[in-house]
């Protein structure tokens, strides 16, 4: 979504504002190849936030997670019935799920949280609300 950059800025801003500093070791932003340079530039400019994000941001090209395959190759893996019934609109959803699981190979911590670019924090959150006794506390949407 080429118009997703402003939303990316809002997500990063909400993390900066509401997440306790010890909550975020690193923000990994997964992007399609066409958006990589633009998001990398946004990241290097601190997403135009004041103050700049207090956590490091790393931009990862989604082809590294998808095993070098083009996003379009996943369309051929869609169930035939779905392609016939709705034109394969579920491809993007399935890719999103693959990316959320696959990004684990690029994460350097024991736990990670995934957020879509349209999900924002709206209240203060600390590490204790996410992890307790070495286990995740929050699951789901």
């Amino acid at each position: 979504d080429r118009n997703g950059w402003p939303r990316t800025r809002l997500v990063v801003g909400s993390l900066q504002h509401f997440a306790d500093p010890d909550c975020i070791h690193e923000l990994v932003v997964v992007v399609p190849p066409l958006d990589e340079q633009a998001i990398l530039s946004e990241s290097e400019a601190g997403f135009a936030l004041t103050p700049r994000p207090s956590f490091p941001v790393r931009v990862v090209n989604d082809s590294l997670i998808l095993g070098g395959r083009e996003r379009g190759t996943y369309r051929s893996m869609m169930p035939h019935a779905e392609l016939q019934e709705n034109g394969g609109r579920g491809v993007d959803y399935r890719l999103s799920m693959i990316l959320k699981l696959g990004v684990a190979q690029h994460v350097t911590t024991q736990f990670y949280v995934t957020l879509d670019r349209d999900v924002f924090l709206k209240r203060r959150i600390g590490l204790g609300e996410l992890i307790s006794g070495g286990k995740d506390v929050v699951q789901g949407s």
Side-chain angles (χ1 to χ4, degrees), residues 44-114:
E44 290 169 353
F47 294 96
L49 296 171
T50 304
R52 294 172 62 90
S54 57
F55 41 83
V57 177
R58 182 164 42 109
V59 177
V60 175
N61 185 314
D62 70 10
S63 68
L64 295 173
I65 297 169
L66 298 173
R69 289 187 172 145
E70 293 289 321
R71 286 173 158 248
T73 60
Y74 286 88
R75 183 174 182 77
S76 66
M77 296 178 192
M78 289 292 297
H80 183 70
E82 182 166 337
L83 288 171
Q84 283 186 317
E85 290 172 18
N86 68 15
R89 290 188 318 213
V91 172
D92 290 336
Y93 172 78
R94 286 176 171 85
L95 276 172
S96 177
M97 296 304 110
I98 290 169
L99 292 170
K100 288 176 182 180
L101 293 170
V103 75
Q105 65 187 337
H106 298 274
V107 173
T108 60
T109 57
Q110 186 176 358
F111 296 95
Y112 70 99
V113 174
T114 63

Side-chain angles (χ1 to χ4, degrees), residues 113-128:
V113 174
T114 63
L115 297 173
D116 291 330
R117 69 178 167 269
D118 60 351
V119 176
F120 311 97
L121 295 184
K122 63 178 191 175
R123 67 171 179 83
R124 208 84 182 121
I125 191 166
L127 197 55

Side-chain angles (χ1 to χ4, degrees), residues 15-75:
L15 291 170
Q16 173 72 6
H17 184 74
F18 289 114
D20 288 347
D22 65 340
C23 260
I24 303 174
H25 174 75
E26 175 185 48
L27 177 64
V28 178
V29 182
V30 179
V31 299
L34 291 174
D35 295 342
E36 183 178 19
Q37 191 53 53
I39 297 295
L40 188 58
S41 295
E42 284 282 317
S43 171
E44 290 169 353
F47 294 96
L49 296 171
T50 304
R52 294 172 62 90
S54 57
F55 41 83
V57 177
R58 182 164 42 109
V59 177
V60 175
N61 185 314
D62 70 10
S63 68
L64 295 173
I65 297 169
L66 298 173
R69 289 187 172 145
E70 293 289 321
R71 286 173 158 248
T73 60
Y74 286 88
R75 183 174 182 77

